[in-house]
Amino acid sequence: MIRIGNCSGFYGDRLPAMREMLEGGELDVLTGDYLAELTMLILGRDRATDPSTGYARTFLTQLRDCLALALDRRVRIVTNAGGANPTALVAAIRELGLPAKIALVRGDDLTARAAELGLGRPLGAHAYLGAFGIARALEAGADIVVTGRVTDASLVIGPAIAHFGWQRTDYDRLAGATVAGHVLECGTQATGGNYPFFTEIEDLRHPGFPIAEISADGSSVITKHPGTGGAVTIGTVTAQLVYEVQDARYAGPDVTTRLDTVSLRPDGPDRVAIEGVRGEAPPPDLKVCLTSIGGFRNEMTVVLTGLDIEAKADLFRRQFEAGLPVRPAELTWTLSRVDSPDAPTQQQASALLTVVARDPDEKKAGRAFANAAVEVALASYPGFFATTPPGRAHPYGVFTAGYVPQEIAPHEVVHDDGTVEPIDPPRVHQPLEPLPGPAIPGPAIPGAGVGPTRRLPLGTVAGARSGDKGGDANVGVWVRRTEAYSWLVGLLTEDVVRGLLPETVGRPIRITRLPNLLAVNIVVEGLLGAGVAYHGRFDPQAKGLGEWLRSRLVDIPESLLEES
C-alpha cells in the first residue's frame, strides 16, 4: 500500500494544511493541487508581467515552513504549483538551501507553438500531461516533484505507478488510481466541505484533508488523519466523484476511466473503500487549456425598493442605454426579484438590477459605462442607489479547450542533477466515445413511481454537487437508498431538468446514469459562456447550481421519504 495525502485543492487553500498533514499521521507522499482554468489565466498574466513569476507562491510559503519537516519524515511532495512557470518555482525552492532532490516535469507549455498547432494566439496554451513523468522523477529519487499543467489526478497516479511499477497497459490499476486522485484533488470537498447534507457532519469548523491508501490492484481507501474535523463517508466521496465530470468515460492522458464501474463501501469510521474500477486505453489526443484576454468588462448593480419594481427597472434601463455614446459589444441586464411584499426590513423590500458591459475597447466598457450610470443618479426612479459606485473596466478572460496528438507535447523530466529524460507517449489509444446509457432499473419497491406522493424539495431525498468544465456546467445528483434510484432516473429526464432549471432552456443537455453510485450526471453545455473568467452568469462557476436544483419542488413518493 502507498499512503498519499493532499494539502491543497486550489490556489488560496488553507495555508497551514501542509504542516497539518505532515504532523497529523503517517504519509508516503503529500500532493498539492493549485491549478484551475482561472488560475492558469492568472498565472499566465503574472508571468507576462514578470518572467520570474507565474507559479503558485503560496506553495513556496508552505514549503519554506515545512520542507525540513517533510525531509525528516521522508514524505515526498508532488505538486502542480509550477503553473505557468514551473522552472522558476524549482529555482525558488533551491534558494531555500535545504538538501532536497528536486525534479521538474515539463512539456505542457505549448504557447509558443500555439499558432502552428492550429490553437490560435492565446495568452497561454498548456497541455494536460499524464502521470508517467511524475513516476519517473520519483523512481529516480526525487524528494519534490514540480509540474506545470498535468491532470489533477496525475499527482496521485504518478506516485502509485512509481510505488507498484505499473505499466502503460495496466488500465484497471491506472483507472483505480485516477478515481482516488479525483477524490483527493479538491482537498476538503472529500471530507465534508461543500457537502449537501452538511448538517449531518458533527464538526466542520476545520475539516481534515483527505488521504488515499492505494493498493497494488488499484483499489483504494479514502480516509483522513485521526482527530481531524469533517468526515469521510459514502456520501462525501460520492459528492466528489460526481464533481466536474462529463460522461461515464472519464478521459485522461494515460487511461480512460469507466466511472460506471466505481463501487464504494464503508471500511470503518472515516474510511470508504473504492473498488471494481475498470479502465480503457486513453484517447489519442491531449486536451489543451487555452486562456486568452477576451476584452474589458464592467458591472453595476442598482437597488429597486418597494413598489413598481418592473417599471423602475424599465425606466433605469432606458435612461442608461440612452446615455451611452456608443453601445458596448455586449450589454446584458438581470433583474433579481429578491424583494417581498409588506417587508419588515428595507433590504427585504428591495430587488437588484445588474447591468454588465463587455467590449474589446476599454473606454466603451469603462468611462462611458460609468458616466451613463452616474448622470441619471438624480433623474431616475424614486429611491435610486447602487450597491457600489461604477468603476473602471477590467480585463476578463476566456477559456477554450484545444486538442493535440499525444506525441506533440514534449513530456520530459529534468532530474535533480540536470539530466533530461523524455517520457514516451502511450502507444495504444482508443477514440473517446460516449457510453450508451444503461437500462433504467425497475422499481425496487412496489408503487415507487405511482403511489401517493408529496410535493417537496428534491433535496429532501437527493444530494447534488455542481461545477464548471470550461463553458459547460455539470450537476451530479445522487440518492442514498437503492430503492430511490429508479425513481430518480425516471424523474430526471431532459424535459424535467429544463423545467426545474429554466436557465437551461435552449441549451444542449447530456444526462448520464451511474447506477453503482446511485447517481445521475447532468451536463448543460454553454451555460457558463466562455468559462469562469468570462463571468457569464450570477454563479460563474456553477457552484450553487446543484443546490438550486435540490431546492426545486418535485413529487416524491411517500414510500421513499425517510422518517424524521
Side-chain angles (χ1 to χ4, degrees):
M1 182 189 73
I2 181 171
R3 191 171 163 89
I4 304 172
N6 170 282
C7 68
S8 176
F10 68 101
Y11 188 14
D13 210 343
R14 198 160 81 213
L15 205 60
M18 183 178 288
R19 177 166 288 276
E20 292 169 12
M21 291 299 288
L22 290 170
E23 293 181 339
E26 293 298 317
L27 288 176
D28 297 304
V29 177
L30 183 59
T31 66
D33 181 7
Y34 295 80
L35 301 185
E37 293 159 0
L38 177 59
T39 314
M40 291 303 294
L41 175 67
I42 293 170
L43 296 179
R45 290 185 63 196
D46 287 348
R47 184 179 183 180
T49 303
D50 181 353
S52 68
T53 64
Y55 57 84
R57 286 171 289 181
T58 52
F59 170 76
L60 189 61
T61 301
Q62 292 173 305
L63 207 60
R64 189 176 291 113
D65 174 54
C66 296
L67 179 53
L69 176 62
L71 293 172
D72 182 61
R73 294 192 171 229
R74 297 183 180 179
V75 177
R76 302 163 96 177
I77 296 174
V78 179
T79 181
N80 60 13
N85 197 353
T87 302
L89 177 55
V90 169
I93 296 172
R94 293 193 191 283
E95 290 178 3
L96 298 179
L98 290 172
K101 293 182 178 179
I102 308 167
L104 165 68
V105 175
R106 69 185 185 189
D108 65 294
D109 191 350
L110 304 178
T111 306
R113 302 170 58 198
E116 70 177 84
L117 295 173
L119 302 173
R121 299 185 181 277
L123 175 68
H126 295 266
Y128 288 80
L129 299 181
F132 278 84
I134 294 171
R136 278 300 302 134
L138 293 170
E139 289 166 354
D143 299 307
I144 304 171
V145 182
V146 172
T147 79
R149 180 72 276 189
V150 297
T151 68
D152 298 342
S154 289
L155 303 176
V156 172
I157 305 168
I161 293 170
H163 187 76
F164 297 114
W166 293 340
Q167 302 301 306
R168 282 282 188 185
T169 54
D170 288 327
Y171 298 130
D172 292 348
R173 296 177 176 89
L174 294 170
T178 297
V179 172
H182 181 52
V183 174
L184 260 60
E185 68 188 42
C186 289
T188 52
Q189 278 196 170
T191 58
N194 300 345
Y195 183 54
F197 304 110
F198 66 96
T199 57
E200 300 174 359
I201 297 178
E202 185 174 338
D203 181 11
L204 260 181
R205 290 172 300 172
H206 202 72
F209 277 72
I211 298 165
E213 299 173 351
I214 302 178
S215 297
D217 64 354
S219 63
S220 64
V221 172
I222 306 300
T223 185
K224 63 186 183 71
H225 282 322
T228 55
V232 177
T233 67
I234 295 288
T236 66
V237 173
T238 298
Q240 181 56 29
L241 280 175
V242 299
Y243 178 64
E244 293 185 344
V245 299
Q246 293 188 311
D247 187 62
R249 279 194 167 107
Y250 187 71
D254 300 316
V255 64
T256 293
T257 301
R258 291 282 300 271
L259 294 179
D260 58 330
T261 64
V262 179
S263 293
L264 306 179
R265 64 171 177 83
D267 190 58
D270 289 319
R271 293 177 62 85
V272 171
I274 302 176
E275 300 169 328
V277 186
R278 296 291 176 259
E280 301 169 344
D285 294 332
L286 290 177
K287 183 179 177 180
V288 183
C289 171
L290 303 172
T291 54
S292 305
I293 301 299
F296 293 87
R297 182 183 186 278
N298 209 339
E299 175 180 331
M300 182 180 180
T301 298
V302 296
V303 182
L304 315 166
T305 307
L307 305 177
D308 306 317
I309 296 294
E310 299 286 344
K312 290 173 179 174
D314 180 64
L315 173 61
F316 180 75
R317 188 182 299 119
R318 287 186 287 111
Q319 289 177 315
F320 180 89
E321 293 190 8
L324 290 171
V326 181
R327 188 181 179 89
E330 294 182 44
L331 194 67
T332 59
W333 294 87
T334 304
L335 176 61
S336 298
R337 294 298 304 266
V338 292
D339 55 304
S340 58
D342 194 24
T345 68
Q346 181 177 335
Q347 187 172 12
Q348 289 171 290
S350 300
L352 302 175
L353 178 64
T354 300
V355 56
V356 177
R358 294 184 184 86
D359 199 279
D361 185 342
E362 183 176 6
K363 293 180 180 179
K364 292 181 183 178
R367 175 56 59 189
F369 178 94
N371 287 347
V374 170
E375 288 170 1
V376 299
L378 300 181
S380 192
Y381 61 85
F384 174 93
F385 72 98
T387 56
T388 57
R392 295 169 42 228
H394 297 280
Y396 69 88
V398 171
F399 168 86
T400 53
Y403 295 88
V404 297
Q406 289 241 24
E407 61 272 14
I408 289 294
H411 194 171
E412 296 175 335
V413 180
V414 182
H415 295 289
D416 186 67
D417 62 3
T419 59
V420 178
E421 180 179 355
I423 304 299
D424 293 333
R427 293 190 178 93
V428 180
H429 305 108
Q430 179 176 315
L432 191 64
E433 297 178 353
L435 279 171
I440 297 176
I445 54 176
V450 296
T453 63
R454 293 176 60 190
R455 194 154 184 82
L456 293 168
L458 175 61
T460 306
V461 295
R465 179 168 284 168
S466 55
D468 61 298
K469 275 290 188 182
D472 299 343
N474 104 288
V475 186
V477 187
W478 75 94
V479 289
R480 300 191 286 180
R481 297 170 56 190
T482 304
E483 57 267 30
Y485 185 59
S486 58
W487 168 79
L488 182 71
V489 168
L491 172 73
L492 293 181
T493 64
E494 195 172 316
D495 288 343
V496 170
V497 170
R498 293 190 195 283
L500 296 175
L501 303 177
E503 291 180 20
T504 68
V505 172
R507 302 188 183 279
I509 290 178
R510 290 180 278 119
I511 297 176
T512 302
R513 302 176 195 132
L514 301 170
N516 285 9
L517 299 176
L518 303 181
V520 174
N521 187 54
I522 303 164
V523 174
V524 185
E525 296 182 13
L527 184 67
L528 307 180
V532 55
Y534 179 77
H535 241 271
R537 64 190 299 271
F538 168 68
D539 175 14
Q541 290 181 280
K543 297 290 190 181
L545 187 63
E547 287 301 292
W548 178 29
L549 179 62
R550 291 183 71 237
S551 74
R552 300 291 281 166
L553 300 181
V554 297
D555 294 322
I556 302 176
E558 291 185 356
S559 54
L560 298 181
L561 296 173
E562 296 178 346
E563 295 182 2
S564 59

